[in-house]
Amino acid sequence: MPPRKITLLLTSLWVCLSAVTGHAALRPVAADGAQYIPLVQGPPEKGAIQAPLLKWQKGGCYTSWCETGWYSSAAAADLDGDGTSEVIGSAYSIFALDGATGQLEWQVASGHDRGEPGADSVGRTWPGIVVADVDGDNDLEIVTAHSGGYISAYDRNGYFVPGWPQQPTGGLELRGLSVYDLDGDGTLEVIATGAVYDRVNTWVYAHDGSLRSGWPQLANDSGYAYGIFNANAAVGDLDGDGVGELVVPSDVHYICAYEANGEQIPAHAMYAGKGWGKVGVWESLEIELRGWGTCDASDGRAERFRPNFAHTPAVIADVDGNGQAEVVVTGNVYDCGYGSYPSQYMGVYIFNADRSRFNASGFDWLSPPVDSGAPLSEDYNQIENAQPNPVTADLDGDGLLEILYASYDGRLHAFWLDKTEHGDWPYAVNDPAEGFYRFASEPAVADLNDDGRAEVIFASWAEKGTGATGRLHILDYLGNPLHEVDLPPAFSGDWNGALAAPTLANIDGDADLEAVLNTAHSGLVAYDLPGTAQARILWGTGRGNLWRNGYITR
């Protein structure tokens, strides 16, 4: 084609684009007076993601050792209203640190307060630290739950709030904790779930420590339930009625869902009048609708594969942006045709508010994605278990939410609503060449440089007895590693890493964010995240927010 015709063609194309974009005035002009469209026309480039820098470590530790940290994400909040944040964390004791320096402000034994100096902690802290104005008095409270069965509510100075603590399980461990205003009265309810050996596994308290009417559940025959061995409950407005509901997976292949008064939420009419908690979940929708599978090893996969929800939380989120909330839940899919119930892969499901499977906006989840990766290890004596806490966030800026979760296959997964993993997902933290296992934490998600696409920030940990440490990882939205920084070595212990999701917050009053991690054997550690002054946090801590309720609103 002659050069002049190319010029005219490009000019015509630019005029057409200008009519759409309104940028006709931006046409470049060549020396001969012809107007040319640029070969590349896009948004200005944002700054590169910079490497995290260690700010402080050993937060909450003692002179020669640190308490073992578990799956509890730290919190960051300005407790005293002085314009700077405190960092609140717990392994066994609860402690508040100065955000800028990591210096201890106060520390109390779990199950006790500052009025009982020298008391022993009642047990470890599994769920994330809740910080919220629970009683509506415009001051923040700190709520914690522990393996001694205690729920405690503290004021900003570490003293019990009247009505607390409570001990619902008689000493069995509480692994789930969240708050929400279930009835819209301006105060928050406290929801706790227990690692119990019974179907009564969920307690709801008013802000003053009194047990609410209709609780605990499951205390009737409206569903099937058992112990809850992770922070599984999601609490939020599931059906758009302006009040809160609870979705509670537990150690069965059923998921209970409750109104604020403890009544089981009805399932879709196709389930013949059953409530959420009476509809078993199967890999196959056909078997699920039938209501039972044979669990016979000689029968096909559809009759045998179903998920268990002992360690698999739920999230309430509007995944497709149509104004209606869905429930996203992971599940450990096992083969019930064998007595040992061997695990197959970590599955992910999306349900509508009426318990039917999600099938909308061109995305069909009537059948879930399958065979995402077999377990490397489920033996916590070898390596602490990977907890598949689902995270929902818009990674690519298209208005739809992706689903991320860590798995026992040694990888962090990210599923788009088309049921595939894009780019370089899943991302493996485990490298077989090392000769030992590594697992990943629940991730945080933020657009660190405000370029419209999110980064994924998470931690990892190493197998026991190796002397190895985990890392702080930052990946781009397609799962490509941007930075991987070794966490501090164990101050006490023979391995290290961080089991809990990082917490993203500005803890020192400068322009940038920090990432705070509750490590296994070096206390709380904080990293500066340079160049993040304009960051947008999409999922900033364990279970999404400091209410720890797994409820994401747009």
Side-chain angles (χ1 to χ4, degrees):
M1 184 181 293
R4 182 60 180 168
K5 290 187 177 180
I6 294 175
T7 299
L8 291 173
L9 177 61
L10 292 175
T11 301
S12 299
L13 178 58
W14 178 254
V15 171
C16 291
L17 289 172
S18 299
V20 176
T21 64
H23 292 308
L26 300 179
R27 298 174 193 162
V29 180
D32 64 358
Q35 294 176 326
Y36 294 91
I37 185 171
L39 293 179
V40 177
Q41 180 75 18
E45 292 185 4
K46 292 283 186 176
I49 304 300
Q50 299 180 47
L53 302 173
L54 183 64
K55 185 179 187 67
W56 47 257
Q57 60 177 300
K58 301 178 185 176
C61 293
Y62 305 97
T63 304
S64 59
W65 64 286
C66 301
E67 297 173 351
T68 301
W70 296 94
Y71 299 91
S72 175
S73 286
D78 182 4
L79 295 178
D80 51 16
D82 67 354
T84 61
S85 288
E86 284 72 39
V87 173
I88 308 96
S90 181
Y92 286 77
S93 62
I94 302 110
F95 40 85
L97 310 175
D98 176 78
T101 66
Q103 294 299 304
L104 183 68
E105 294 189 357
W106 54 260
Q107 188 166 17
V108 299
S110 63
H112 304 276
D113 74 356
R114 294 179 72 183
E116 303 174 81
D120 292 330
S121 292
V122 299
R124 68 176 174 182
T125 307
W126 185 292
I129 304 298
V130 169
V131 176
D133 181 6
V134 175
D135 54 11
D137 66 352
N138 296 317
D139 284 328
L140 293 175
E141 284 77 43
I142 301 160
V143 189
T144 64
H146 311 281
S147 61
Y150 281 93
I151 313 167
S152 299
Y154 298 95
D155 66 18
R156 65 188 186 187
N157 296 310
Y159 294 96
F160 284 140
V161 174
W164 301 93
Q166 297 294 329
Q167 190 184 23
T169 62
L172 295 176
E173 184 166 31
L174 295 170
R175 292 196 180 176
L177 178 70
S178 55
V179 297
Y180 193 81
D181 185 359
L182 290 173
D183 51 14
D185 69 351
T187 64
L188 304 182
E189 282 67 48
V190 176
I191 300 99
T193 58
V196 297
Y197 305 99
D198 189 89
R199 67 181 185 176
V200 179
N201 59 22
T202 306
W203 292 259
V204 177
Y205 291 89
H207 69 277
D208 60 3
S210 60
L211 192 64
R212 280 180 59 91
S213 177
W215 299 93
Q217 290 292 347
L218 181 70
N220 53 40
D221 62 356
S222 65
Y224 299 106
Y226 200 61
I228 300 175
F229 297 95
N230 192 12
N232 287 5
V235 190
D237 186 0
L238 175 60
D239 56 9
D241 64 355
V243 298
E245 289 80 35
L246 294 81
V247 179
V248 187
S250 66
D251 190 9
V252 286
H253 66 286
Y254 298 81
I255 300 170
C256 287
Y258 305 105
E259 300 287 359
N261 63 4
E263 292 183 359
Q264 193 84 221
I265 296 174
H268 190 278
M270 65 183 173
Y271 292 110
K274 296 178 180 178
W276 265 73
K278 280 286 183 77
V279 182
V281 183
W282 292 79
E283 185 184 82
S284 164
L285 178 59
E286 179 182 357
I287 303 304
E288 184 172 293
L289 288 169
R290 183 213 288 164
W292 54 273
T294 65
C295 288
D296 190 320
S298 64
D299 288 335
R301 168 176 179 155
E303 299 284 356
R304 307 188 333 257
F305 279 38
R306 64 189 187 191
N308 175 270
F309 300 108
H311 291 265
T312 57
V315 168
I316 298 173
D318 178 6
V319 296
D320 58 347
N322 69 350
Q324 298 177 342
E326 287 82 36
V327 172
V328 177
V329 61
T330 52
N332 183 10
V333 178
Y334 64 96
D335 186 342
C336 69
Y338 297 87
S340 60
Y341 284 1
S343 298
Q344 304 298 306
Y345 66 94
M346 197 60 65
V348 60
Y349 299 80
I350 306 178
F351 298 105
N352 299 310
D354 64 3
R355 176 50 185 78
S356 59
R357 296 195 186 189
F358 175 71
N359 182 19
S361 302
F363 302 108
D364 179 358
W365 283 70
L366 298 180
S367 60
V370 300
D371 298 331
S372 57
L376 299 177
S377 173
E378 296 178 274
D379 180 3
Y380 59 77
N381 292 304
Q382 180 180 30
I383 182 172
E384 293 296 346
N385 296 152
Q387 303 297 328
N389 299 5
V391 168
T392 55
D394 182 2
L395 296 182
D396 55 10
D398 67 353
L400 304 172
L401 300 187
E402 283 71 54
I403 303 166
L404 301 95
Y405 64 93
S407 180
Y408 50 29
D409 65 358
R411 300 186 292 179
L412 183 67
H413 291 266
F415 279 94
W416 268 246
L417 290 185
D418 63 8
K419 298 192 295 187
T420 68
E421 299 194 70
H422 294 192
D424 282 341
W425 295 105
Y427 180 78
V429 297
N430 186 71
D431 179 0
E434 287 190 299
F436 60 86
Y437 293 135
R438 295 180 185 268
F439 283 154
S441 75
E442 173 188 337
V445 181
D447 182 356
L448 294 177
N449 60 352
D450 193 27
D451 70 348
R453 291 170 174 169
E455 285 70 47
V456 179
I457 306 96
F458 64 100
S460 58
W461 64 93
E463 186 175 332
K464 296 178 178 180
T466 60
T469 188
R471 300 179 177 121
L472 173 60
H473 305 258
I474 301 179
L475 312 184
D476 72 10
Y477 77 106
L478 289 176
N480 300 297
L482 301 175
H483 298 287
E484 295 182 304
V485 177
D486 282 348
L487 296 173
F491 188 45
S492 51
D494 58 15
W495 63 278
N496 202 22
L499 313 181
T503 295
L504 305 181
N506 186 346
I507 62 174
D508 57 6
D510 67 1
D512 293 324
L513 292 176
E514 284 75 37
V516 180
L517 299 100
N518 182 13
T519 69
H521 295 295
S522 55
L524 293 192
V525 302
Y527 286 84
D528 284 310
L529 300 176
T532 57
Q534 303 301 316
R536 297 180 301 109
I537 298 175
L538 307 180
W539 185 285
T541 187
R543 303 296 285 132
N545 54 61
L546 294 185
W547 288 13
R548 311 294 180 186
N549 55 21
Y551 178 46
I552 300 302
T553 58
R554 290 176 180 261

